[in-house]
Amino acid sequence: QLQLVESGGGLVQPGGSLILSCVWSGGRLDDHAIAWFRQAPGKGREGVSCVSRTNENKYYKEAVKGRFTISRDNAKNTVYLEMNNLEPNDTAVYYCAASQLRYSLCGKWELPEGRHYWGQGTQVTVSS
């Protein structure tokens, strides 16, 4: 069964950087778009970034545009999220998700029921 595992989170000071990784196993996601979501305590789930099955199409939430970069390496079964100039408001648990429905995932930040895979998350804390 397909699984997604996030890693790379940690504690950083404002202005610092982190690179998150999402590794999948148990199958192929070459034909899936993959997105990063985040959820802070007391807040709802927020879409952050999304990438198509190739690196040709990338999408970013306005709050992170210019600071975060998403990329994928299907040969390594991995998608990355490079985060620069981190802010306290970036503090959250970061999740990756995959779906064949790119329009729903990347265009609407939706996870179609029964048509997506979901990781367990990695904690990112930005504090001085």
Side-chain angles (χ1 to χ4, degrees):
Q1 182 171 313
L2 274 168
Q3 290 186 324
L4 303 175
V5 179
E6 302 92 337
S7 63
L11 174 64
V12 298
Q13 294 184 343
S17 300
L18 285 173
I19 300 177
L20 306 183
S21 297
C22 173
V23 179
W24 61 87
S25 62
R28 294 184 177 274
L29 294 177
D30 296 12
D31 60 345
H32 288 60
I34 302 179
W36 286 95
F37 292 81
R38 66 187 181 186
Q39 187 165 18
K43 298 182 179 180
R45 184 184 63 200
E46 177 188 24
V48 177
S49 185
C50 196
V51 62
S52 64
R53 61 181 181 175
T54 72
N55 286 299
E56 296 179 349
N57 299 291
K58 301 178 181 180
Y59 311 84
Y60 299 94
K61 187 62 66 71
E62 286 295 327
V64 307
K65 190 174 297 183
R67 299 189 297 119
F68 292 9
T69 301
I70 191 170
S71 62
R72 66 188 293 167
D73 187 341
N74 289 335
K76 296 182 178 180
N77 289 1
T78 303
V79 64
Y80 305 95
L81 184 66
E82 181 180 357
M83 305 184 295
N84 298 309
N85 195 24
L86 285 162
E87 305 170 352
N89 285 341
D90 295 319
T91 296
V93 177
Y94 284 70
Y95 305 88
C96 58
S99 176
Q100 290 180 304
L101 304 179
R102 179 170 62 87
Y103 180 75
S104 295
L105 187 68
C106 300
K108 299 183 178 181
W109 305 111
E110 295 179 349
L111 297 170
E113 186 175 358
R115 302 291 299 277
H116 73 274
Y117 300 95
W118 185 256
Q120 297 301 306
T122 184
Q123 177 71 50
V124 172
T125 302
V126 185
S127 177
S128 60

